[in-house]
Structure formats: structure tokens, C-alpha cells
Amino acid sequence: MRPDPGAVDAGGAAALLRDASDVLVLGHVGPDPDTLGCAVSVATAMRRRGVPAVVAVGDPGPIADRLRTLDPDGIVVHAADAPPSPDLLVCCDASERRRLGSLADRLDTAGASLVIDHHVSFVPFGTHQFVDPTAPATVTLVRQVLAELGEPLDANQASALFAGLYTDTGGLRAGGAPTLRLAAELVEAGAEPASLMRGLNGDRPFGWLAALATILAGAHREPDAVAGAGLVWARVDAATAGRFGEQVGSVMGQLAATAGHGVAALLTECQDGTWSVSLRGTGRPDLSAVARRLGGGGHRGAAGAELGGTADGVLEALREALVAETVGQGT
Ligand SMILES: [Mn+2]
């Protein structure tokens, strides 16, 4: 029997999976290792139980080649091939309905929908939600669900979950002892961190070095922003973003490393002329709240939003949101 609609715990989430006759598992658009690690490990468990299960990610958001390393068995299908009306839809690491992109309509046609997420900016959707904003990664919640389901982890699942855990915790830095205990469990179950992370980081073309130099040379620091803690930002034009794709995201770490106790922002111009803004910080101010002011969401220390307009306009909106949230919490 299905649990009543609404919030469920890991046991309730497992009950939904136990009851399902076929499953479509969705990651969020612009998939990262957390969302794909969750999705692949859930679908793998269901297949082992003899239940048809596939993973898909809605458009826009091609799955980067490097992330294919998390899907050695080819469980991920094209968005166009996602079943139109699955018995159970499972949404992993998506903070709101629109993060499902073109596959959000499956929420309307699925028999039931289970959302597993850890974003503080979570906006409820789906028939059932297993959400814990204190979880450092959604894979920690999926691990609980699979344990409740009584499913052991094979090496592929352990690798997929490890990748999500490692990425969302900033290299096992966040989440304290439980993060490290789970990491140890996943390594014992067959995850091999060295080769896994090498595959996930992927090879970068030589031309990236010159592009990176240009991006970093154009970085700015506004020392008075964020109540004197400073704002470091850089922007990437559409041509560079189109040529180097997700390599561009690696710039964020370079910016954040120079932002001290302030905030780092990376503005990436999309092919349609809108801007994708990524934010990193210490959690003060709460960047999920800053991002919400810009129409996005995320976590206290890492968040993002998509905005139209010019780069200058986007920066001005960001400065205003930072002021509002910095003042709002009395820093
Ligand atoms: Mn996540």
C-alpha cells in the first residue's frame, strides 16, 4: 500500500519503491554527480528487484560525457525515450518542479511521484516528498532509502553514490563524521575514489588554458560588498561557454579560493543570451536566499540562478540581493 501523500521518511520512500510496478527516475537539468548518482543507484536497485526502471534528464541539460562514467550499464535514456506514464516517478536532487525541465510533465501522468531532495530552497512538488535540508548531499538520503528497502550496494551503485557525496560535500569537507562514515562504507562496497574522480574530472582540451587565463584576467573584486567581506566575480561569454561547456564550471573553485569570507560569483552567458549565475560563499549571507531573490535557489554556501538582461544588469541585481540578505541577517 502506498503511504498517504505528503512528507515521508526513508521508510515511506522505500514503501513506495517496494510497491512500484515500473519506475522512471529523473535527475535535474544540468545534471551533476549528486543527482545522477542518486538516480542510477535507485534504478539499479529496482532492476535488481525485477522492476523495469530507467533514468532520464529533461531538456535542456545534456549529460556531460564525463558523467557517463556513473552509468556503465546504460541505465540512462534520452529524454525523448522516457516512459510517458510510469507507475512511480522518482525525482532526485531537484529543488523545484521546473528543475525537471522538459520531463516535468511526467509529474502529471505518473501514478505517484516521490521527490528526494536536500535543498533548503525546496519548493514542494510531487505526491510524496522525502526531503532533509540538513543532508549534505541527496545521495545520503538515497542511501537511507536503499537500506530501508533491504538492498545491498554493488560496486556501480557505491561509485555513483560516492561521486555525489564527494562533489556535494566539497571533497568530503562538509557533513562531518557521517559523511566520512558513508564514504568509507561506499569504498568498502567497491567505489574506487582515485579512478572515479579522474573519470569525473575528465580531460580538458589544451585551448582551455588560454580561455581560462582570459576569464581569470577579467575577474573583479569589490571589497566593500557583503559588509566588507567582498565580492569576487568573473564572467564567461557565450562563445567560450559554448566551446568549453562544463569546463567553465571549474572556474568557480578558482574564484571561491580568492573570495575569503566573502562571496564568489561566476556569470556564464547562455546561448540564448540569458545569464547563469553561480554563487559560492561561507553561508553568510545565506546564498540560497540571495539566489531566491534572483529567481533561483540552492544551498547556504552554494546557489545559483538564471537571469535575463545584460551582464551589468545581472551584477546590479546580484549586488542588491547581497545587500538585502547581508542586512537582513545582521552581519
Ligand atoms: Mn545535491
Side-chain angles (χ1 to χ4, degrees):
M1 245 196 37
R2 276 185 176 144
D4 290 335
V8 294
D9 59 11
L16 280 161
L17 289 168
R18 204 173 282 121
D19 188 54
S21 57
D22 69 274
V23 180
L24 170 60
V25 191
L26 297 183
H28 61 67
V29 294
D32 61 12
D34 194 25
T35 196
L36 269 187
C38 288
V40 166
S41 56
V42 168
T44 300
M46 297 308 290
R47 285 184 171 198
R48 195 187 301 132
R49 296 172 68 86
V51 176
V54 294
V55 172
V57 174
D59 297 319
I63 298 173
D65 285 344
R66 67 185 183 99
L67 290 177
R68 298 282 175 192
T69 186
L70 301 182
D71 179 34
D73 297 333
I75 291 176
V76 181
V77 301
H78 288 291
D81 297 327
S85 51
D87 179 45
L88 178 67
L89 184 72
V90 181
C91 308
C92 299
D93 197 43
S95 58
E96 53 187 309
R97 180 187 169 107
R98 70 187 164 103
R99 294 284 288 154
L100 302 179
S102 64
L103 292 176
D105 61 359
R106 298 305 194 276
L107 288 164
D108 308 320
T109 53
S113 45
L114 166 66
V115 181
I116 307 175
D117 188 46
H118 73 130
H119 290 88
V120 293
S121 60
F122 181 72
V123 179
F125 67 98
T127 60
H128 297 77
Q129 303 92 25
F130 176 35
V131 176
D132 179 357
T134 70
T138 300
V139 293
T140 66
L141 305 178
V142 164
R143 177 67 196 104
Q144 293 174 37
V145 174
L146 295 182
E148 289 285 342
L149 201 56
E151 283 296 325
L153 298 177
D154 66 20
N156 290 348
Q157 287 172 301
S159 297
L161 294 174
F162 187 96
L165 182 69
Y166 190 91
T167 308
D168 266 36
T169 58
L172 307 181
R173 290 181 182 90
T179 290
L180 298 170
R181 271 195 290 270
L182 177 56
E185 181 200 347
L186 296 173
V187 170
E188 281 172 345
E192 295 178 2
S195 60
L196 181 63
M197 300 318 295
R198 203 162 47 235
L200 278 176
N201 288 331
D203 292 328
R204 292 172 191 175
F206 180 72
W208 168 244
L209 291 180
L212 176 63
T214 302
I215 295 166
L216 294 179
H220 286 70
R221 181 164 188 274
E222 301 183 9
D224 296 335
V226 194
L231 167 67
V232 173
W233 61 265
R235 68 188 202 193
V236 181
D237 62 42
T240 302
R243 181 165 169 217
F244 295 104
E246 60 164 345
Q247 306 293 353
V248 166
S250 67
V251 176
M252 192 70 233
Q254 315 270 349
L255 296 180
T258 66
H261 294 287
V263 171
L266 180 64
L267 282 63
T268 306
E269 188 179 14
C270 305
Q271 302 308 309
D272 64 1
T274 61
W275 292 87
S276 169
V277 181
S278 297
L279 302 170
R280 292 287 184 285
T282 61
R284 291 178 72 84
D286 179 350
L287 294 180
S288 71
V290 172
R292 273 200 297 279
R293 287 180 180 271
L294 303 173
H299 308 283
R300 287 190 66 90
E306 268 94 54
L307 288 85
T310 64
D312 286 344
V314 169
L315 277 166
E316 199 46 47
L318 171 59
R319 291 183 192 108
E320 285 173 15
L322 284 170
V323 166
E325 288 304 321
T326 304
V327 170
Q329 63 174 22
T331 48

